[in-house]
Amino acid sequence: MSRVSQAEARANRQRVVESASRLFRENGVRHVSVADVMQSVGMTQGGFYKQFASKAALVDEATAEAFSGMLRHLAALDGDHAGHDAAWPALIDSYLSPEARDDPGNGCPAAGFAGDFARDPEWRDTYAAGIRDMAGWIAPGDTGLAALSTLVGALLLARATAGSPVSEEILRAARKAAARLTE
């Protein structure tokens, strides 16, 4: 039996974290087992415990990774548009789209983890830091928090009503409201 190199071990760990992040956002932390995560990357459950102390440690790392990815996405939006003032409307349009509504596994961690962390405070510190960073990208202080709350709340409601006309109405109304919040 061959041992994996340190580089391979780091790459495997990153694959596990990324897959867990997607699965947790898609299905909920409580509905995804360590075996599910490891199966998704083609590894054994025994390999998990060589990399992570516990599922809780993985949840924390997967949450941090998801928010880091979101912050990279936000920075790229600034670069892809003529600065932040043009990036904010682009974020609103993509965030409050049917595509984002229908793809929670690859979507925003603020919305994807909200239900789990509301019920289980174990990982709230990492989640709260991510919320603060995202809101800070939008706008300083209360304005950023209010705008992020509008986005996340609307996305959660649109997901909960997907398939009904009210889902599209929520997305449309929230796009208008979010744009006004930072004027």
Side-chain angles (χ1 to χ4, degrees):
M1 186 158 154
S2 66
R3 294 180 58 106
V4 298
S5 69
Q6 287 183 347
E8 289 171 314
R10 282 191 301 276
N12 287 341
R13 181 186 182 94
Q14 186 62 31
R15 284 182 29 234
V16 170
V17 169
E18 289 171 359
S19 183
S21 178
R22 180 183 49 77
L23 289 170
F24 293 154
R25 284 179 280 167
E26 196 170 275
N27 301 308
V29 172
R30 297 279 175 225
H31 299 285
V32 176
S33 67
V34 167
D36 295 332
V37 172
M38 298 308 282
Q39 182 180 16
S40 74
V41 294
M43 296 172 67
T44 66
Q45 192 169 343
F48 173 84
Y49 293 102
K50 292 177 184 172
Q51 295 279 346
F52 302 93
S54 64
K55 181 180 175 183
L58 175 61
V59 171
D60 193 57
E61 193 168 329
T63 302
E65 173 61 31
F67 276 108
S68 291
M70 185 62 166
L71 292 172
R72 287 189 300 273
H73 172 70
L74 295 175
L77 275 176
D78 281 337
D80 292 345
H81 295 81
H84 188 71
D85 288 343
W88 170 236
L91 176 67
I92 293 170
D93 288 342
S94 65
Y95 194 102
L96 297 173
S97 69
E99 295 79 17
R101 176 197 60 206
D102 298 339
D103 190 14
N106 292 307
C108 175
F113 292 119
D116 284 309
F117 295 177
R119 288 183 290 278
D120 192 340
E122 188 172 359
W123 307 289
R124 281 192 188 154
D125 290 344
T126 301
Y127 183 79
I131 294 296
R132 175 106 24 229
D133 290 343
M134 283 184 66
W137 179 88
I138 295 169
D142 289 351
T143 301
L145 288 168
L148 180 59
S149 297
T150 299
L151 295 178
V152 172
L155 188 58
L156 290 172
L157 291 173
R159 285 178 178 165
T161 58
S164 74
V166 75
S167 181
E168 297 294 331
E169 293 170 29
I170 290 166
L171 293 174
R172 185 179 61 252
R175 281 192 296 272
K176 290 178 187 176
R180 286 191 304 266
L181 283 170
T182 60
E183 291 178 343

